[in-house]
Amino acid sequence: MSKIDCVAMLLAGGQGSRLGVLTKSLAKPAVQFGGKYRIIDFTLSNCHNSEMDIVGVLTQYRPLELHSYIGIGSHWDMDRRGGGVFVLPPFARDQGGEWYKGTADAIYQNINFLELYQPQQVLILSGDHIYKMDYSLMLEYHRDKQAAVTIGVIEVPWEETHRFGIMSTNGEGRIVEFQEKPSKAKNNQASMGIYIFDYAVLKDYLRRDAEDTATSHDFGKDIIPRMVAEQQKAYAYPFNGYWRDVGTVESYWEANMDLLAERPELDLYDTSWRIYSENLNLPPHYIANGSSVKCSIVSEGSQLYGNVDHTVVFPDVYVAPGAQVKDSVLLPHVRIREGVVLDHVIVGPNTVIEAGSIISEQETNICEDAALKKYSGITLIGADKTIAPALSGAKK
Amino acid sequence: MSKIDCVAMLLAGGQGSRLGVLTKSLAKPAVQFGGKYRIIDFTLSNCHNSEMDIVGVLTQYRPLELHSYIGIGSHWDMDRRGGGVFVLPPFARDQGGEWYKGTADAIYQNINFLELYQPQQVLILSGDHIYKMDYSLMLEYHRDKQAAVTIGVIEVPWEETHRFGIMSTNGEGRIVEFQEKPSKAKNNQASMGIYIFDYAVLKDYLRRDAEDTATSHDFGKDIIPRMVAEQQKAYAYPFNGYWRDVGTVESYWEANMDLLAERPELDLYDTSWRIYSENLNLPPHYIANGSSVKCSIVSEGSQLYGNVDHTVVFPDVYVAPGAQVKDSVLLPHVRIREGVVLDHVIVGPNTVIEAGSIISEQETNICEDAALKKYSGITLIGADKTIAPALSGAKK
Amino acid sequence: MKRMMGIINLYNSKDLLWELTRGRPLAAVPFAGRYRLIDFTLSNMINSGITNVGILMQGNFRSLMDHLRSGKEWDLARKREGLYFLPPVTGINVENGFPNDLSAFQSNLDYLQNSRQSHVVISGCSMICNLDYNYGLAFHQEKGADITVAYKEMGDLDSYPYSSMLGLDEDGRVRDIEINPVRARYRNLFLEMYIIEKKLLMELVDSAVSRGGTNFLRDAVMKNLDKLKIYGIHYQRYVAHLMSIRSYYRHSMELLRPEVWRNLFFANGLIYTKIKDEAPTKYNDSARVSNSLIANGCIVEGTVENSIIFRGVKIHKDAVVKNSIIMQKSEIGSGATLENMICDKDVRISAGKCLIAEPHYPMVISKGSLL
Amino acid sequence: MKRMMGIINLYNSKDLLWELTRGRPLAAVPFAGRYRLIDFTLSNMINSGITNVGILMQGNFRSLMDHLRSGKEWDLARKREGLYFLPPVTGINVENGFPNDLSAFQSNLDYLQNSRQSHVVISGCSMICNLDYNYGLAFHQEKGADITVAYKEMGDLDSYPYSSMLGLDEDGRVRDIEINPVRARYRNLFLEMYIIEKKLLMELVDSAVSRGGTNFLRDAVMKNLDKLKIYGIHYQRYVAHLMSIRSYYRHSMELLRPEVWRNLFFANGLIYTKIKDEAPTKYNDSARVSNSLIANGCIVEGTVENSIIFRGVKIHKDAVVKNSIIMQKSEIGSGATLENMICDKDVRISAGKCLIAEPHYPMVISKGSLL
């Protein structure tokens, strides 16, 4: 096997429990997003567009749908000879198997995969974010700086700095201090969880980290602070585009809504940086007489007879005459019956909302049950449910 | 997803520790066999040729090479829409992950995969055997008999019955008694580890077995005996062709040698039942002037200048002038230098045997080290080694 | 199990789609927002379990090959069988001077011979429907037919000039065939689909060519009406017969009826086509859309009524598109008005332009035009 | 990174491989035990990082399309770019009456236009070698050339009748070209490979066609020798030039020299071809084989000397095959003797038959013959 410049390792094992029922039966990277995509499509499309030809995807939590979705990467045109996408679940060795204990441990357990390629650099990614980024530019930056590690950073609002790993850099972009989720941040440059390591350095730190029983085996908490402390050449690579962690129901809803702006920050229609995804072979969607569809994105196979405003409509969704859907996300195969009113609702795949149901921030006439959960004003309804109005139109 | 007749589940998690260094870095089903193939090729080609369109492959031990080898089943032309090959490693759930505890447990942990397809029947296979079998005929038999479970059986010599699950049947083929590895067998009909279950029955027994803490969660040890005891309609399906477990170094060597017979029982040249495998894109092999090659099979890219007799030669093997190779198996990329004598030797991938080395049953002139191990007359040499004669030609 | 193979015959005797088939074969004409005509024939075959399909290519078929490529989207990129392109005969084999389907069949007899299946489904590309050939095969075998041909009984004869029609007896046996009459005498529109045993097909082709034949239907089938048991099977559901710009337009507009949409896209399986990886379609605040079919990848800021919009179309603010068909990647400038128009691929209509054709007599704007 | 696209030009002015190109284009002629000629050109392109390849098809190309299918084996089954079949021009576009490469180029100018790459590598299929076009591109840019052409200096002029030769000045600039002379005046064999900027190619093609040109080399290149800076790059390693049965045979036999074998199959990357899923080759007790290349899937029970045996060949007991080339799936009966023969695909030689041709004047037994 020939020597490869850079291998990407995509951490896709997260359970994403803060996404509620959306991750009940699938891993977070496999959650649908943006009217057609799954969250991991963005990172994998970035890899393809950045000509990162070899990508290991580390999975752990409920990977069935994720594995069969990823396959050998055909959706992203990455089923290439001698390259492509490799799914790397935890596995058993002579002495039995071990689950991944942390992000660093996950990479360490798959060091034999990296050894196959002997790359110059290793790009560490997570499958949890919505963004478009050219990793090859970051790789160039890393090489220009002759860095040991380069961390992708983005400016975040000062009041959110406590949620991130925060970098302080000198004039050349070299990291002089690293604070993991600080209560009092010295800076607002946050780590995006994107790292480029020189492979030799990475191996060394992973080995030492593995021997250390006191660590949590995490890049942000353990490896990076140690490298900064040991004066390794760690650089920050500033990224200015759209970047969202969709780790909570609220942020998932917001990132979907972001796509509906008149000029969205994230342009899905730019053919020079396509976001690839599965294609379902459904006919064009149908918008009926008497309906009104605006400020929305709508996918193939859907049939809209009612009013759809500021809403993300996935494939094969049906909205009956007289229904009103606003500020919502309708996942694939959802059925919205006559006269339904939805406002700020995320409806899971295959769910049916029966005629007359009203679900909004102000008012609802359905029984609140396990299928339905509220997150600061947004109602999340799980997959494969049937929701009907309560017999005595309950008011809240 | 449409209702599927039969889904195959292939148990490929075995470590295969009795294969010595052959399974040092890969799972047993991924071990090379027969000059070109890997062990799992036989079962997967059987699936393709039997039109079993959906195959779940359950992996556990060192699956990297196996996973990337299987991919989405393109080698076996099984990368079909809505079907194909799905790799199923152990995975984490909400309450953490569990490793497969036994064959039945492995299937039970993947019941959600079977639930996707709701098959009529489930075919359970293992990836450890060399044989050609039309599973669709067995499925037909199962349906004709309206069986709850059908077990593939083969006659074994009476003296080997203690190694197998042994079936006693009535005139119609119905199993009336099942002995797991009996010291005193009542019959010589041995289970091949191939089962067809009605899915409803399988689910029921797996569920009950999972709740039972006293079992080893194994089909042969627990599920089948329990079904026979509970008078379920269990039938034996007799198979008459070539069938070998290649679980030990000796049986691996023998099964390779079987291919060299004038008329081998296992016909690799029958185009109506092809065994599919990876293809390496190497040129035709070259047999030089002055060499002698007979009773052997030779694969692409090899260059033979010496004498090769009754030997299996994998791709890209080099045998230098004056070398003598007999009754041996040369795995891919092996280099045999001038004057080497090999007799009853299995040489692992990429290994170099330096000039003048002599390794045979009777005599050897090389230091015996960890790289080399003897199994009743057969010498096994691991991968990526360099073997040279000892300075003082040691005699045994 | 797999008893049928498919042949798609791209030779069509009459092509009245003029403007749309200038730079492409009929089979590659875009239809229904995201498909090409051949997608329907091909999808019917694969949805009927056929995994071996040969295409008798004709004319300038580059756009068709670009579309089909490996056959992967139709699950026909296989190690064994799959999709075979059977290019036109050149040189020595064309005894009768011009390319024709009979000699195309003849020069591919070896392909037929080498295929494992016993029966052949032959179909053209201008009859658009969603059907299962297994019903045809069952009928074929029940009747003990030599050839089974599919037809649809039509209400209105006048709508189908230049179509082939079948004359049937009470038993459903074909007793007469009219090929492309100006005014038909029978009501049974021939759907250009045959089921026939492979051996008989090979025999009929060879025999007809050796007697100077050039047209499969006329010389291999019609001339044997008395000798062979040819039965018609009635297909009851929706069929669009695309043989003129008017019928193309009329059938496109029929897709806006939800029962036609459902029937054509879902009746017996999905219709597969080339994947384009387009984003979902985006409607802005000013979008006003009604009774329209809209494919992925569009950006709609204007008004769209009773129209079919293909993938990647942009309709700018204050543009009005009515009763029109706008093909892939076209762009309608702000304030432009289109009525009763068919815009081929990559057409750009400048801001403020107004193009209005007569109802039922649509105008075609050719591929790549900039108006 | 990806600056080059590839065009494989299947129009060849002189084809002297008669017996082997009767039922197939030159590009599909089997060579070296498991390949077709086009595999070498295609593999060189992909091994040089080219991912967009158009093939100017000519003649009866069904066998070629069967061979290439989706392009998957060459890693060219891609969503973007990959393998494009550019079929021959029919009808209106052939102004000059017969199919020719210049009009083929011209009718595919839109394909060139739509491609992202700035440079085009053009190659034929009759020059077999293993090279990296990136060296050519570096040379091209260093020289500031308009066109770079590859050549090899030959020792023996007499061996290359009907080849095109280049006359070069000291600087390596091409000053004269001879197309297929009976007796060459220059020693520099033109390898039928060009590197040229895409824009210039499009300009040259259009300009030559509009002046009545039909031959790319003659009318687009040679006529511009004075105006354009055309440089020759010398390819030093092994080249097999297959332009007659004798040269086909001679170059096949050269493959038995290990340094040629290594050079052609490994120098700059592997040569890819269609996968056949054959088992390894089996030698029985009575097999006697020396100095031979043998592909997978064969069963050898007889004697094979100085020969090239393709995939799936059976050589029965006591058969003797010497100095011969036996193509795919042929079968040599027990006791038969073949010397100095070329058996095309699927030939069956009955038991005991004896066929011996003169050394260096091999006889060809055509595809599918039963002797």
Side-chain angles (χ1 to χ4, degrees), chain C residues 62 69-70 81 85 108, chain D residues 62 65 69-70 81 108:
Chain C
R62 201 184 99 202
R69 303 287 288 268
S70 66
E81 310 191 324
F85 295 105
N108 290 297
Chain D
R62 202 185 96 203
M65 301 211 3
R69 301 288 289 268
S70 66
E81 308 191 327
N108 289 297

Side-chain angles (χ1 to χ4, degrees), chain B residues 84 87 104 203:
Chain B
V87 172
K203 259 204 294 195

